[in-house]
Amino acid sequence: MLKVVSFKICPFVQRVTALLEAKQIPYEIEYIRLQEKPEWFLEMSPHGQVPLVITDSGQALFESEALIEYIEEVYPALNSDRSAEEKAIDRAWSYLASKLYLVQCSAQRSPDKTTLEQRSENLHKAFIKIEKALGNQPFFNSSAIGLVDIAWLPLLHRADIINRCSGYDFLGDYPKMKQWQQSLLATGIAGQSVAEDFDSRFCDFYLSNETYLGQTCAANQNSNNSACVNHSCC
């Protein structure tokens, strides 16, 4: 059985575990602490980053892009009917998503509204482009979930949590992305691909009093008695 080594709120890891869930591939997962990386992990991971996947043979694989390719190649493909050209396009849209993971993380940690807007600029540039590329089907131009959907799932999942907790909607200007987000969330893969305490840990970090979004959440709590401060909204 594959073993995944992860930090609990890492979007790069969720992309890998989401693909495993979509393919219904059994795996086990071990969570390590970012501040206390064990020696065995540092020996296996050349750059000391997650995700790390250990195969049945004991081989350690790293880098999320490489892991996605490995899982797609070794197990029945999600996109088996795609032409070489279509696969290249899918990889390009998937790569765009992965480049936005840290951009989104930085935006979510913004200490004030101005910083949030500035840090969100690159997100919105990409959102405008994919909004135009989306059709009217539930997934990325398809009735079935594929690799592009898996790549964008961490972004859309996190945007949903932020919206529910703070009222701030990264996707407010993008109706097709909103529909895409809801289609992906309805599959259940978002929740299945993260730790049971993911939402609370995510909120602890991104909706703390140090962040603008956390302060917004607290203000909502004060005005309408919601329980965002205790993260029950998550």
Side-chain angles (χ1 to χ4, degrees):
M1 183 183 296
L2 294 178
K3 179 177 181 179
V4 179
V5 183
S6 171
F7 302 145
K8 284 199 171 180
I9 60 173
C10 176
F12 296 94
V13 174
Q14 188 180 15
R15 180 184 177 190
V16 172
T17 52
L19 182 57
L20 293 171
E21 292 288 345
K23 290 175 178 263
Q24 298 183 336
I25 300 169
Y27 65 97
E28 60 178 309
I29 191 161
E30 179 173 349
Y31 296 105
I32 62 174
R33 289 177 54 82
L34 178 63
Q35 298 84 359
E36 300 174 359
K37 299 174 186 176
E39 284 301 319
W40 62 263
F41 170 75
L42 295 173
E43 290 175 3
M44 284 186 164
S45 176
H47 50 24
Q49 297 176 354
V50 295
L52 184 74
V53 167
I54 303 172
T55 67
D56 292 339
S57 68
Q59 177 64 53
L61 307 177
F62 59 98
E63 286 291 349
S64 57
E65 296 287 346
L67 295 175
I68 293 295
E69 291 181 9
Y70 171 80
I71 295 167
E72 184 72 355
E73 182 177 347
V74 171
Y75 300 94
L78 282 185
N79 303 122
S80 59
D81 61 342
R82 307 287 280 172
S83 68
E85 185 177 84
E86 289 171 330
K87 288 179 180 178
I89 293 171
D90 288 349
R91 283 194 296 270
W93 281 114
S94 297
Y95 180 60
L96 176 60
S98 66
K99 290 198 298 183
L100 295 175
Y101 291 169
L102 296 182
V103 177
Q104 186 186 46
C105 289
S106 176
Q108 291 166 167
R109 285 288 294 174
S110 298
D112 52 64
K113 184 178 181 180
T114 299
T115 304
L116 174 61
E117 292 173 347
Q118 291 173 342
R119 292 179 178 178
S120 297
E121 286 181 5
N122 286 336
L123 284 176
H124 291 298
K125 288 177 183 178
F127 290 174
I128 289 170
K129 294 175 182 177
I130 198 153
E131 178 79 5
K132 292 179 180 178
L134 287 167
N136 296 315
Q137 294 180 291
F139 302 107
F140 185 76
N141 297 333
S142 174
S143 59
I145 196 166
L147 292 180
V148 178
D149 304 290
I150 295 297
W152 284 80
L153 183 144
L155 294 163
L156 299 175
H157 182 201
R158 286 155 173 75
D160 175 66
I161 296 173
I162 291 295
N163 188 22
R164 284 190 286 113
C165 289
S166 72
Y168 186 88
D169 192 358
F170 282 102
L171 308 183
D173 295 328
Y174 311 101
K176 287 185 177 180
M177 285 192 74
K178 288 285 288 185
Q179 185 57 53
W180 186 27
Q181 179 192 53
Q182 294 310 306
S183 295
L184 280 171
L185 293 176
T187 67
I189 292 175
Q192 294 161 4
S193 58
V194 294
E196 290 184 1
D197 60 349
F198 172 82
D199 285 10
S200 62
R201 286 181 175 269
F202 177 88
C203 291
D204 284 343
F205 188 67
Y206 291 110
L207 294 176
S208 72
N209 290 331
E210 298 174 353
T211 71
Y212 172 74
L213 293 172
Q215 295 157 17
T216 301
C217 185
N220 290 342
Q221 189 271 340
N222 290 332
S223 63
N224 60 23
N225 294 321
S226 72
C228 284
V229 170
N230 295 322
H231 310 321
S232 65
C233 60
C234 297

